[in-house]
Amino acid sequence: MNAQRFLQTQFWAEFKANHGWKAFYFSVDADGHLTKLDSYPQGVCDENSLTVLIRRIKGFSIAYIPMAPELTARADSSVAVTEEERIEYLKKISALAGELKPLLPKKTLFIRFDPPVDFTGLSDRQSFAQDKITPGKNFPCKIKKSHVDIQPPDTVLLSLEKSEDEILAAMKNKWRYNIRLAAKKGVEVTRHHALDPDFENAFNQFYNLFEQTSKRDGVSFHGRDYYIDLLKRGIPEEGSEKPKITLYLAKHEDDYLAGIITLFCKREAVYLYGASGNIKRNLMPAYLLQWTAIQDAKKEGCPVYDFYGCPPTDDENHPMHGLFLFKTGFGGTLVHRPGSFDIPLSPLYGLYDAAEKLRAWWFKKAMKKIGRR
């Protein structure tokens, strides 16, 4: 039995419930049947529990299931999923949607899944993530590839099961050099948690860097309260298995240069958010930040460090090509996930789907073309 992915933990459900979502909890029996629970299931095996997030939008609801259900017997992401496995998995989520429908709020437009299936080959991912599965004998519910992916479909996973020397050796030479350069030039990395006496100042410095990043790169971000709430909920507690949230800052002399927020839990370490300023970038603070977090995650016993999102290929024309180079340079494995799938529950889903597609086009294409992002 594997530990839960952080998006299916009670910690994350309660956090999102404080920011516009409502968490529904279910237990799942051996036949796939669901029982709705009043609270998060305690003492239940991970694979026998399910968290569904619900959001109300103008009198309607949408249901979202992040990183569940698991594809059983999937130990090696380099092995392609067979067509039989794919069909069985999609049948599973189709049946799950049928079980969920009467247990969800009325006027729920659709259920959106983010299948936690990892591929190391793009062609394998593309074969899995076909555009549409029409209803039929095996699929009582229509399954449609969403126009919008909620979680990043491409990421870099760095195994922490090797020694620090081995992890360093697997990095690109320039990355090891940049880590040493930052330390040699006097860049200092500090760790901050919400109960620390200096937390308010540390967070203000981070948020200022966030605003600089947004203006420079056109990156959207949440309000201050969102990140403060996350950090407060993730205060380290001795003997607790809840995720630990840490704010890291890179500083040189009196200047704050960059910052990241990470999540450590039993199954994984995740680089959630990052920000950087516009000065002293030649001191390479981001490299030392990541290396410090990687070292801490290894000490915490996390088996893997998830860089959480990057372009799918080494395409020099991609607007985020620099991010691809940065994250892959640490020596991890580039992983591709199928992205989001929708199961429509209402005839009005088509209107929502069209509006979401138009909105995605506007923010990704039009706004950038007219220089507003």
Side-chain angles (χ1 to χ4, degrees):
M1 179 185 71
N2 290 322
Q4 283 181 313
R5 297 173 187 262
F6 83 94
L7 291 168
Q8 277 290 314
T9 61
Q10 180 180 7
F11 172 92
W12 196 257
E14 292 176 349
F15 168 62
K16 296 301 286 186
N18 202 39
H19 297 276
W21 296 83
K22 182 176 181 180
F24 280 40
Y25 304 116
F26 300 90
S27 63
V28 187
D29 68 19
D31 296 321
H33 300 308
L34 301 178
T35 301
K36 190 174 184 296
L37 306 174
D38 294 331
S39 60
Y40 189 86
Q42 303 296 331
V44 176
C45 294
D46 298 336
E47 60 264 31
N48 294 334
S49 67
L50 182 72
T51 298
V52 182
L53 299 176
I54 305 294
R55 187 150 201 164
R56 297 280 293 174
I57 301 176
K58 296 182 179 180
F60 296 91
S61 297
I62 60 173
Y64 174 50
I65 303 177
M67 291 293 134
E70 296 283 350
L71 177 64
T72 57
R74 179 72 175 154
D76 186 352
S77 59
S78 66
V79 177
V81 172
T82 66
E83 181 63 13
E84 181 180 358
E85 288 174 318
R86 173 179 175 272
I87 293 297
E88 286 302 313
Y89 182 80
L90 294 176
K91 284 171 62 178
K92 182 177 182 178
I93 65 172
S94 180
L96 184 59
E99 286 275 331
L100 276 172
K101 184 176 181 178
L103 302 175
L104 297 176
K106 293 181 179 180
K107 296 185 178 180
T108 298
L109 297 179
F110 62 94
I111 303 171
R112 178 163 291 172
F113 290 84
D114 264 316
V117 186
D118 294 349
F119 302 94
T120 55
L122 267 176
S123 60
D124 293 332
R125 189 262 294 278
Q126 290 164 353
S127 295
F128 187 93
Q130 296 179 20
D131 289 338
K132 187 184 297 184
I133 304 294
T134 56
K137 179 180 178 181
N138 292 327
F139 302 100
C141 299
K142 175 182 177 181
I143 303 174
K144 178 183 177 298
K145 181 69 183 72
S146 172
H147 295 297
V148 175
D149 293 320
I150 305 301
Q151 303 305 321
D154 305 284
T155 188
V156 177
L157 300 180
L158 177 65
S159 173
L160 303 181
E161 295 180 345
K162 297 179 181 180
S163 69
E164 287 188 9
D165 287 342
E166 289 173 318
I167 294 173
L168 279 168
M171 294 181 189
K172 293 181 179 179
N173 291 336
K174 186 66 173 178
W175 272 239
R176 292 193 298 272
Y177 174 82
N178 287 342
I179 291 169
R180 292 193 297 267
L181 173 68
K184 182 179 178 180
K185 293 295 184 179
V187 175
E188 178 187 6
V189 174
T190 54
R191 304 162 182 82
H192 305 273
H193 299 103
L195 286 182
D196 295 347
D198 65 342
F199 173 73
E200 183 176 357
N201 176 63
F203 182 80
N204 287 340
Q205 297 294 343
F206 173 76
Y207 204 77
N208 178 54
L209 292 167
F210 229 159
E211 291 176 326
Q212 292 180 52
T213 302
S214 177
K215 291 177 182 177
R216 184 184 65 240
D217 300 336
V219 178
S220 60
F221 56 92
H222 297 282
R224 295 170 58 90
D225 291 346
Y226 185 89
Y227 304 103
I228 290 175
D229 184 31
L230 177 62
L231 284 153
K232 286 183 175 179
R233 291 174 183 273
I235 295 170
E237 295 179 6
E238 188 174 352
S240 173
E241 291 191 358
K242 75 172 186 178
K244 172 182 174 181
I245 310 295
T246 304
L247 167 62
Y248 293 83
L249 289 174
K251 181 181 179 182
H252 181 260
E253 297 174 342
D254 294 328
D255 299 315
Y256 288 89
L257 309 182
I260 62 174
I261 294 177
T262 63
L263 178 150
F264 297 169
C265 63
K266 188 176 180 180
R267 177 169 182 143
E268 57 199 340
V270 184
Y271 163 36
L272 289 176
Y273 309 107
S276 61
N278 299 321
I279 62 171
K280 299 183 179 180
R281 297 169 70 88
N282 60 309
L283 298 184
M284 306 299 171
Y287 295 85
L288 187 59
L289 271 174
Q290 291 293 341
W291 175 234
T292 303
I294 289 166
Q295 289 176 297
D296 288 353
K298 182 172 175 57
K299 291 173 184 174
E300 289 281 335
C302 303
V304 65
Y305 188 89
D306 189 342
F307 282 89
Y308 218 56
C310 76
T313 62
D314 186 7
D315 179 3
E316 294 182 357
N317 295 318
H318 194 286
M320 302 296 284
H321 182 243
L323 187 69
F324 177 92
L325 296 177
F326 176 71
K327 292 187 175 183
T328 57
F330 286 92
T333 300
L334 181 61
V335 167
H336 311 285
R337 292 167 179 155
S340 300
F341 287 77
D342 291 347
I343 295 185
L345 302 181
S346 165
L348 296 178
Y349 167 80
L351 295 176
Y352 181 94
D353 183 48
E356 189 175 53
K357 183 179 180 180
L358 178 62
R359 182 177 183 274
W361 174 83
W362 175 255
F363 281 101
K364 290 182 180 179
K365 304 292 184 181
M367 292 285 276
K368 288 183 179 180
K369 286 184 178 180
I370 63 178
R372 292 178 60 189
R373 282 181 62 82

